[in-house]
Amino acid sequence: MHPIYRAAEIRQIEHNFIAVNPGISLMERAGLAAAEKARDMLGDGFRALVVCGPGNNGGDGLVVARYLHQWGYQVTTVLLGDASKLPSDAAAAYKQFVNAGRTATSDIPKERQWDLIVDGLFGIGLARAAEGKLAETIEWVNATNCSVLALDIPSGLNSDTGNIFGVAIRATETITFIGLKPGLLTADGKDHAGHVSIASLNIDQQQLTKPSGHLLEQAVVAKYLPRRKLNSHKGSFGSLGIIGGADGMLGAVALASRAALKLGTGRVYLGTLTKLPNGYDPVQPELMWREAETLFTYDHLTALVIGPGMGQSEVAKNLLVRAIESPLPLLLDADALNLISVNKSLQETLRARFHPTLLTPHPTEAARLLNCDTTTIQKDRVEAALKLAKQFNSAVVLKGAGSICALPDGNWFINPTGNPGMASAGTGDVLSGLIGALLAQGLEAAQALLLGVYLHGAAADSLLAQNIGPIGMTASEIIDEARRLSNVWN
């Protein structure tokens, strides 16, 4: 899996590299790699506008402009800052730029047309919103109908969180240096980074620092899929109990159960808080409906999911206590999380739980668990997921654009799959069922979490590629596509 680095880690990598390679300019390497990417994006075009800011990201832009001009392109370079106040590396880049016979203007000739705009305004060091002319320039770039290449990260985007400082460049492509940054992959970064490529700058970064973050990849997570022997039976593939479905909310537990069944669980039991009129699911009669309390009497269950459509009644609370005290691998979702958030005793019991535990909150549920608001969660999704994993001694997925998976040991992952078609009722219940199925079939908690999250989004992406969505994509459709993909990958 590709490593992901936060800004402080990137700075440490740069420091370590320069300490043993003092004569090498990383800015020159970055600028050359970006110029080559710009050349690819220009294609048959020849007019480029390179917009440079007052820091080292602007220095990268100056190197890009110098190479593009050297290669024969028509380049307009704009420096929005005082050349005499540039940081040392950027100042050196500016000197080379001038020595090559180039000049930079302080204003964009907006009457001209370009085939490509290179964004070198701000990099990963930005800590506040752009103002004045710099903010106006970002807004102007976004208003053009021109392809945009962002250097390292789109200007105005927080590289650690994916949140926007006031206004941010909306790039066609981003070439990021050394390694991936979380801000490119989650929150608003998903809408602003465009296609992301990595220029390693010939640094073996994993020798310089050990990453705790990684990008989920199909080639890795698909290996977790259980392989099936010819000599097997339904008991070979686990028995999953799913508890939920209070009055008026049977759909949630039904979706989770159908997802679990279609991802290969040998037997799926629904333990509901209300009785199904016919005692079975007419759409999926293979599912076995029971009263919720009955599930705790079975000794053949291999995993348990609790929460979908469960409500927050006293009955629901008592069932949750029994689930947490059970020795089974346990996934908690929806109302199970809401009940935990308001009950200190449940929180302590959950923290002390010895058996594998997974939490699948959306941002509002995460905020309740951490006793804050949703805005605080979304300000730093990686940190929020890590805090949840540590506080509740559980594997966690913080759902959303660029879902964050976090483990109690401090390792974290960002999921690249998924699309806006998933923003509909029931998709979270499907995710719980998919992960629960993998737990029931014997996967470790981390494996079940990472594979389930990736597969869930990949199924939605596959539907989108077939023009099934994003408008009107349903949770039920995701179930069937997840089944198809799991068989293709296996």
Side-chain angles (χ1 to χ4, degrees):
M1 298 185 195
H2 283 296
I4 306 173
Y5 298 101
R6 289 185 273 191
E9 293 171 305
I10 289 290
R11 296 303 187 211
Q12 188 62 52
I13 290 170
E14 292 173 337
H15 173 80
N16 293 347
F17 180 83
I18 292 170
V20 296
N21 300 278
I24 294 178
S25 169
L26 288 178
M27 184 171 289
E28 185 70 14
R29 289 185 177 185
L32 175 57
E36 291 170 341
K37 172 61 69 174
R39 182 171 58 187
D40 292 342
M41 291 181 68
L42 279 162
D44 295 332
F46 64 93
R47 299 163 301 181
L49 170 66
V50 182
V51 185
C52 306
N56 282 327
N57 199 246
D60 297 333
L62 290 167
V63 177
V64 172
R66 174 163 54 85
Y67 275 109
L68 288 179
H69 180 261
Q70 179 181 316
W71 296 337
Y73 291 95
Q74 180 181 311
V75 185
T76 301
T77 308
V78 177
L79 177 59
L80 298 178
D82 187 341
S84 67
K85 296 181 180 179
L86 290 171
S88 58
D89 287 348
Y94 180 74
K95 183 177 180 180
Q96 285 184 289
F97 175 81
V98 172
N99 289 343
R102 305 305 300 149
T103 58
T105 67
S106 58
D107 293 293
I108 298 173
K110 297 179 180 178
E111 71 283 357
R112 296 187 192 173
Q113 298 293 316
W114 290 278
D115 301 302
L116 177 69
I117 298 175
V118 177
D119 162 34
L121 288 172
F122 299 112
I124 65 174
L126 186 66
R128 59 186 178 86
E131 299 176 345
K133 194 171 184 178
L134 290 162
E136 292 170 6
T137 299
I138 292 174
E139 292 174 342
W140 176 84
V141 170
N142 287 342
T144 67
N145 194 28
C146 188
S147 295
V148 178
L149 172 63
L151 306 183
D152 211 14
I153 194 158
S155 294
L157 193 68
N158 186 312
S159 69
D160 282 350
T161 68
N163 292 317
I164 295 173
F165 289 113
V167 62
I169 289 287
R170 194 179 293 270
T172 310
E173 295 199 31
T174 298
I175 182 167
T176 197
F177 307 131
I178 300 177
L180 290 169
K181 287 82 179 176
L184 297 168
L185 307 166
T186 192
D188 293 312
K190 299 277 285 184
D191 287 310
H192 284 260
H195 178 265
V196 178
S197 58
I198 306 168
S200 69
L201 310 188
N202 294 321
I203 294 177
D204 185 356
Q205 63 268 34
Q206 296 197 60
Q207 289 184 357
L208 298 174
T209 186
K210 184 178 180 180
S212 58
H214 288 86
L215 183 69
L216 294 183
E217 297 174 11
Q218 179 186 322
V220 176
V221 299
K223 294 178 181 178
Y224 302 150
L225 279 165
R227 301 299 189 265
R228 299 199 161 208
K229 295 180 180 179
L230 293 175
N231 183 20
S232 60
H233 52 84
K234 64 185 178 184
S236 305
F237 306 115
S239 298
L240 178 65
I242 302 182
I243 296 175
D247 286 339
M249 295 186 287
L250 283 172
V253 72
L255 283 167
S257 300
R258 292 171 187 173
L261 182 71
K262 290 189 174 182
L263 204 63
T265 311
R267 290 174 290 200
V268 180
Y269 296 90
L270 287 75
T272 60
L273 281 71
T274 188
K275 291 184 179 179
L276 188 69
N278 297 319
Y280 75 104
D281 182 351
V283 175
Q284 207 70 61
E286 300 89 345
L287 298 174
M288 293 173 279
W289 291 76
R290 302 287 188 270
E291 292 185 8
E293 294 84 355
T294 305
L295 268 59
F296 294 106
T297 68
Y298 295 163
D299 61 6
H300 61 279
L301 293 184
T302 52
L304 193 61
V305 172
I306 186 168
M310 185 171 69
Q312 300 180 51
S313 66
E314 192 65 23
V315 171
K317 177 185 171 184
N318 291 336
L319 289 168
L320 180 56
V321 171
R322 295 183 70 178
I324 294 174
E325 291 176 347
S326 79
L328 295 171
L330 176 65
L331 184 148
L332 300 104
D333 185 29
D335 284 321
L337 300 176
N338 292 327
L339 282 167
I340 290 167
S341 70
V342 296
N343 190 300
K344 297 289 186 183
S345 176
L346 280 176
Q347 292 174 23
E348 291 299 327
T349 306
L350 182 61
R351 270 192 286 270
R353 195 170 193 272
F354 178 75
H355 305 285
T357 312
L358 296 90
L359 312 181
T360 60
H362 56 56
T364 300
E365 291 163 345
R368 294 174 186 141
L369 288 167
L370 293 177
N371 194 29
C372 62
D373 56 30
T374 304
T375 300
T376 300
I377 296 295
Q378 294 293 76
K379 279 183 178 178
D380 194 336
R381 288 168 50 76
V382 172
E383 195 59 36
L386 285 168
K387 189 173 181 179
L388 282 167
K390 182 177 181 180
Q391 183 167 319
F392 294 102
N393 190 31
S394 302
V396 172
V397 55
L398 176 58
K399 295 181 285 194
S403 291
I404 312 295
C405 298
L407 306 179
D409 64 6
N411 285 298
W412 53 275
F413 307 81
I414 298 183
N415 179 46
T417 64
N419 62 71
M422 303 173 78
S424 64
T427 56
D429 304 310
V430 168
L431 177 62
S432 293
L434 296 178
I435 298 173
L438 297 169
L439 282 174
Q441 292 174 70
L443 271 67
E444 296 177 3
Q447 294 175 336
L449 179 73
L450 301 184
L451 173 56
V453 169
Y454 187 94
L455 176 61
H456 186 234
D461 288 345
S462 181
L463 290 173
L464 188 64
Q466 302 169 54
N467 295 318
I468 304 172
I471 298 171
M473 185 185 295
T474 67
S476 296
E477 290 169 320
I478 292 173
I479 292 173
D480 289 334
E481 192 62 15
R483 175 178 63 181
R484 188 188 73 81
L485 286 181
S486 65
N487 282 286
V488 171
W489 295 354
N490 207 13

